[in-house]
Amino acid sequence: MQPLLSQACWDTLYMVGWSTLVAVVAGLPLGVLLVLTDRGGLLQNTVANKVIGQVVNIARSMPFIILMVALMNFTRTVTGTTIGREAAIVPLAIGAIPFFARLVETAVREVDGGLVEAVQAMGGNTWTIVRKVLVPESLPSLIAGTTTTIVALIGYSAMAGTVGAGGLGDIAIRYGYQRFETELMWITVAILAVVIALIQFAGDHAARSLHRRGGRSGPAPKLRLLRAKEPATPGTGKAAV
Protein backbone atom coordinates (compact mmCIF):
# COMPACT_ATOMS: atom_id res chain seq x y z
CA MET A 1 0.00 0.00 0.00
CA GLN A 2 3.03 2.30 0.17
CA PRO A 3 2.76 3.58 -3.44
CA LEU A 4 -0.94 4.22 -2.87
CA LEU A 5 -0.28 6.19 0.30
CA SER A 6 2.53 8.16 -1.36
CA GLN A 7 0.25 9.20 -4.22
CA ALA A 8 -2.52 10.07 -1.77
CA CYS A 9 -0.14 12.30 0.23
CA TRP A 10 0.93 14.10 -2.93
CA ASP A 11 -2.70 14.58 -4.01
CA THR A 12 -3.58 16.05 -0.63
CA LEU A 13 -0.63 18.47 -0.67
CA TYR A 14 -1.45 19.41 -4.26
CA MET A 15 -5.08 20.25 -3.44
CA VAL A 16 -4.21 22.11 -0.25
CA GLY A 17 -1.33 24.03 -1.84
CA TRP A 18 -3.29 25.42 -4.77
CA SER A 19 -6.41 26.16 -2.75
CA THR A 20 -4.30 27.98 -0.13
CA LEU A 21 -2.68 30.10 -2.84
CA VAL A 22 -6.08 31.09 -4.24
CA ALA A 23 -7.47 31.75 -0.76
CA VAL A 24 -4.55 34.03 0.17
CA VAL A 25 -4.59 35.94 -3.13
CA ALA A 26 -8.35 36.55 -2.95
CA GLY A 27 -8.85 36.65 0.81
CA LEU A 28 -6.11 39.17 1.65
CA PRO A 29 -7.57 42.11 -0.31
CA LEU A 30 -11.07 41.12 0.77
CA GLY A 31 -10.09 41.19 4.46
CA VAL A 32 -8.28 44.53 4.07
CA LEU A 33 -11.30 45.94 2.26
CA LEU A 34 -13.53 44.94 5.18
CA VAL A 35 -11.34 47.07 7.45
CA LEU A 36 -11.02 50.03 5.09
CA THR A 37 -14.77 50.29 4.42
CA ASP A 38 -15.78 49.90 8.06
CA ARG A 39 -16.97 52.82 10.16
CA GLY A 40 -14.03 55.14 10.70
CA GLY A 41 -11.99 53.38 8.01
CA LEU A 42 -9.97 55.06 5.30
CA LEU A 43 -12.60 54.19 2.68
CA GLN A 44 -15.63 54.30 4.95
CA ASN A 45 -18.67 52.91 3.15
CA THR A 46 -21.26 51.37 5.43
CA VAL A 47 -23.35 49.84 2.65
CA ALA A 48 -20.40 48.20 0.91
CA ASN A 49 -19.04 46.95 4.23
CA LYS A 50 -22.34 45.34 5.21
CA VAL A 51 -22.80 43.72 1.80
CA ILE A 52 -19.28 42.28 1.77
CA GLY A 53 -19.61 41.21 5.39
CA GLN A 54 -22.89 39.39 4.79
CA VAL A 55 -21.50 37.59 1.74
CA VAL A 56 -18.49 36.47 3.76
CA ASN A 57 -20.67 35.36 6.68
CA ILE A 58 -23.01 33.33 4.46
CA ALA A 59 -20.09 31.63 2.71
CA ARG A 60 -18.42 30.84 6.04
CA SER A 61 -21.58 29.39 7.56
CA MET A 62 -22.15 26.88 4.74
CA PRO A 63 -20.96 23.34 5.60
CA PHE A 64 -18.20 22.25 3.23
CA ILE A 65 -19.94 19.09 2.06
CA ILE A 66 -22.98 21.17 1.02
CA LEU A 67 -20.70 23.72 -0.64
CA MET A 68 -19.12 21.00 -2.77
CA VAL A 69 -22.51 19.82 -3.97
CA ALA A 70 -23.77 23.36 -4.60
CA LEU A 71 -20.69 24.19 -6.70
CA MET A 72 -20.73 21.07 -8.86
CA ASN A 73 -21.98 22.87 -11.96
CA PHE A 74 -19.48 25.69 -11.49
CA THR A 75 -16.69 23.18 -10.85
CA ARG A 76 -17.59 21.31 -14.04
CA THR A 77 -17.51 24.58 -15.98
CA VAL A 78 -14.07 25.51 -14.63
CA THR A 79 -12.32 22.12 -14.69
CA GLY A 80 -14.51 20.02 -17.00
CA THR A 81 -15.17 17.44 -14.29
CA THR A 82 -16.43 17.09 -10.73
CA ILE A 83 -14.11 14.23 -9.76
CA GLY A 84 -10.42 14.33 -9.00
CA ARG A 85 -7.97 16.62 -7.27
CA GLU A 86 -8.29 19.48 -9.80
CA ALA A 87 -12.06 19.53 -9.31
CA ALA A 88 -11.64 19.55 -5.52
CA ILE A 89 -9.50 22.70 -5.65
CA VAL A 90 -12.50 24.81 -6.72
CA PRO A 91 -14.74 24.25 -3.65
CA LEU A 92 -11.71 24.12 -1.35
CA ALA A 93 -10.52 27.54 -2.51
CA ILE A 94 -13.98 29.11 -2.50
CA GLY A 95 -14.65 27.75 0.98
CA ALA A 96 -11.31 29.05 2.28
CA ILE A 97 -11.52 32.58 0.86
CA PRO A 98 -14.11 33.95 3.35
CA PHE A 99 -12.46 32.02 6.18
CA PHE A 100 -9.08 33.61 5.49
CA ALA A 101 -10.65 37.03 4.83
CA ARG A 102 -12.00 37.15 8.39
CA LEU A 103 -8.59 36.19 9.76
CA VAL A 104 -7.03 38.99 7.70
CA GLU A 105 -9.62 41.45 9.00
CA THR A 106 -8.81 40.52 12.60
CA ALA A 107 -5.06 40.80 11.97
CA VAL A 108 -5.27 44.20 10.26
CA ARG A 109 -7.48 45.66 12.99
CA GLU A 110 -4.68 45.00 15.49
CA VAL A 111 -2.33 47.45 13.74
CA ASP A 112 -1.54 50.55 15.79
CA GLY A 113 -3.64 53.44 14.54
CA GLY A 114 -0.83 55.86 15.34
CA LEU A 115 1.24 54.48 12.46
CA VAL A 116 -1.65 55.04 10.07
CA GLU A 117 -2.07 58.60 11.29
CA ALA A 118 1.67 59.22 10.91
CA VAL A 119 1.66 58.15 7.27
CA GLN A 120 -1.47 60.21 6.62
CA ALA A 121 0.20 63.25 8.17
CA MET A 122 3.11 62.77 5.77
CA GLY A 123 0.76 62.72 2.79
CA GLY A 124 0.52 58.99 2.29
CA ASN A 125 -2.54 57.78 0.38
CA THR A 126 -4.64 54.71 1.10
CA TRP A 127 -2.52 52.40 -1.07
CA THR A 128 0.64 53.59 0.67
CA ILE A 129 -0.89 52.94 4.09
CA VAL A 130 -1.99 49.44 3.09
CA ARG A 131 1.34 48.55 1.47
CA LYS A 132 3.73 50.09 4.00
CA VAL A 133 1.81 49.88 7.28
CA LEU A 134 -1.22 47.61 7.45
CA VAL A 135 0.19 44.54 5.71
CA PRO A 136 3.77 44.67 7.06
CA GLU A 137 2.67 45.39 10.63
CA SER A 138 0.12 42.57 10.63
CA LEU A 139 2.45 40.07 8.92
CA PRO A 140 2.98 37.79 11.97
CA SER A 141 -0.78 37.51 12.47
CA LEU A 142 -1.28 36.98 8.74
CA ILE A 143 1.19 34.09 8.78
CA ALA A 144 -0.61 32.59 11.76
CA GLY A 145 -3.91 32.98 9.91
CA THR A 146 -2.46 31.32 6.82
CA THR A 147 -1.31 28.40 8.97
CA THR A 148 -4.80 28.06 10.43
CA THR A 149 -6.26 28.13 6.93
CA ILE A 150 -3.89 25.40 5.71
CA VAL A 151 -4.80 23.18 8.66
CA ALA A 152 -8.51 23.71 7.98
CA LEU A 153 -8.01 22.94 4.28
CA ILE A 154 -6.30 19.64 5.11
CA GLY A 155 -9.43 18.64 6.98
CA TYR A 156 -11.62 19.84 4.11
CA SER A 157 -9.50 17.88 1.61
CA ALA A 158 -10.02 14.71 3.61
CA MET A 159 -13.75 15.38 3.46
CA ALA A 160 -13.51 16.00 -0.29
CA GLY A 161 -11.93 12.56 -0.63
CA THR A 162 -15.25 11.01 0.32
CA VAL A 163 -16.77 12.21 -2.98
CA GLY A 164 -13.97 11.12 -5.28
CA ALA A 165 -11.46 13.94 -4.93
CA GLY A 166 -8.60 11.62 -4.10
CA GLY A 167 -6.02 12.15 -1.39
CA LEU A 168 -5.73 10.63 2.05
CA GLY A 169 -9.43 11.04 2.77
CA ASP A 170 -10.28 8.89 -0.24
CA ILE A 171 -7.84 6.18 0.93
CA ALA A 172 -9.30 6.21 4.44
CA ILE A 173 -12.86 5.83 3.17
CA ARG A 174 -12.37 3.54 0.17
CA TYR A 175 -9.87 1.15 1.68
CA GLY A 176 -9.99 1.71 5.42
CA TYR A 177 -13.74 1.96 5.93
CA GLN A 178 -15.47 0.31 2.98
CA ARG A 179 -13.03 -2.63 2.83
CA PHE A 180 -12.74 -2.89 6.62
CA GLU A 181 -8.97 -2.33 6.58
CA THR A 182 -8.98 -0.50 9.89
CA GLU A 183 -5.20 -0.46 10.17
CA LEU A 184 -4.88 1.45 6.90
CA MET A 185 -7.48 3.95 8.00
CA TRP A 186 -5.55 4.70 11.17
CA ILE A 187 -2.33 5.01 9.18
CA THR A 188 -3.91 7.76 7.08
CA VAL A 189 -5.13 9.47 10.26
CA ALA A 190 -1.59 9.34 11.66
CA ILE A 191 -0.13 10.77 8.44
CA LEU A 192 -2.63 13.65 8.52
CA ALA A 193 -1.78 14.32 12.17
CA VAL A 194 1.96 14.45 11.41
CA VAL A 195 1.47 16.74 8.40
CA ILE A 196 -0.70 19.12 10.42
CA ALA A 197 1.80 19.15 13.29
CA LEU A 198 4.68 20.00 10.95
CA ILE A 199 2.74 22.78 9.22
CA GLN A 200 1.61 24.22 12.55
CA PHE A 201 5.17 24.15 13.87
CA ALA A 202 6.55 25.88 10.77
CA GLY A 203 3.84 28.54 10.83
CA ASP A 204 4.24 29.25 14.55
CA HIS A 205 8.02 29.48 14.18
CA ALA A 206 7.73 31.94 11.29
CA ALA A 207 5.19 34.09 13.15
CA ARG A 208 7.31 34.15 16.32
CA SER A 209 10.43 35.06 14.36
CA LEU A 210 8.70 38.05 12.76
CA HIS A 211 7.16 39.07 16.07
CA ARG A 212 10.60 39.11 17.75
CA ARG A 213 11.80 41.44 15.02
CA GLY A 214 8.94 43.82 15.75
CA GLY A 215 6.36 42.26 13.44
CA ARG A 216 7.63 44.30 10.54
CA SER A 217 9.32 43.91 7.23
CA GLY A 218 10.51 47.50 7.49
CA PRO A 219 7.75 50.05 8.25
CA ALA A 220 10.01 52.07 10.57
CA PRO A 221 12.75 52.62 7.95
CA LYS A 222 10.05 53.42 5.41
CA LEU A 223 8.56 56.03 7.71
CA ARG A 224 12.00 57.58 8.08
CA LEU A 225 12.36 57.52 4.32
CA LEU A 226 9.08 59.36 3.96
CA ARG A 227 10.26 61.98 6.44
CA ALA A 228 13.50 62.38 4.53
CA LYS A 229 11.56 63.17 1.38
CA GLU A 230 9.64 66.01 3.04
CA PRO A 231 10.76 69.53 2.07
CA ALA A 232 12.95 71.36 4.58
CA THR A 233 11.43 74.26 6.50
CA PRO A 234 12.94 77.57 5.28
CA GLY A 235 15.51 78.99 7.66
CA THR A 236 15.77 75.90 9.84
CA GLY A 237 17.43 73.34 7.60
CA LYS A 238 15.19 70.66 9.13
CA ALA A 239 12.51 68.58 7.52
CA ALA A 240 8.97 69.77 8.13
CA VAL A 241 6.81 67.66 10.42
Side-chain angles (χ1 to χ4, degrees), residues 146-170:
T146 302
T147 304
T148 302
T149 303
I150 294 173
V151 171
L153 282 171
I154 291 175
Y156 290 164
S157 70
M159 193 183 305
T162 63
V163 292
L168 291 170
D170 178 51

Side-chain angles (χ1 to χ4, degrees), residues 17 58 63 65 89 141 152 192 198 212 229:
I58 292 173
I65 191 69
I89 292 173
S141 297
L192 286 171
L198 291 174
R212 284 196 295 268
K229 291 181 179 179

Side-chain angles (χ1 to χ4, degrees), residues 95-175:
I97 288 172
F99 180 81
F100 184 69
R102 284 299 185 189
L103 295 177
V104 172
E105 180 188 12
T106 302
V108 173
R109 288 189 188 280
E110 295 175 355
V111 175
D112 185 4
L115 290 174
V116 176
E117 294 174 359
V119 176
Q120 283 181 311
M122 289 182 279
N125 56 23
T126 301
W127 170 242
T128 301
I129 292 172
V130 171
R131 185 166 56 91
K132 294 187 177 182
V133 178
L134 296 183
V135 173
E137 285 291 324
S138 60
L139 196 55
S141 297
L142 291 177
I143 291 177
T146 302
T147 304
T148 302
T149 303
I150 294 173
V151 171
L153 282 171
I154 291 175
Y156 290 164
S157 70
M159 193 183 305
T162 63
V163 292
L168 291 170
D170 178 51
I171 297 297
I173 294 297
R174 198 149 48 94
Y175 292 91

Side-chain angles (χ1 to χ4, degrees), residues 143 147 198-212:
I143 291 177
T147 304
L198 291 174
I199 291 174
Q200 190 68 56
F201 174 79
D204 291 345
H205 177 72
R208 283 195 300 268
S209 298
L210 284 173
H211 186 70
R212 284 196 295 268

Side-chain angles (χ1 to χ4, degrees), residues 38-80:
D38 199 5
R39 185 174 301 174
L42 299 174
L43 301 175
Q44 179 175 331
N45 190 320
T46 306
V47 175
N49 183 266
K50 288 184 177 180
V51 171
I52 297 173
Q54 286 301 319
V55 171
V56 169
N57 290 338
I58 292 173
R60 283 186 62 199
S61 64
M62 186 174 297
F64 181 69
I65 191 69
I66 296 177
L67 182 65
M68 284 194 300
V69 175
L71 292 175
M72 277 188 174
N73 290 333
F74 178 72
T75 301
R76 186 181 291 109
T77 301
V78 174
T79 65

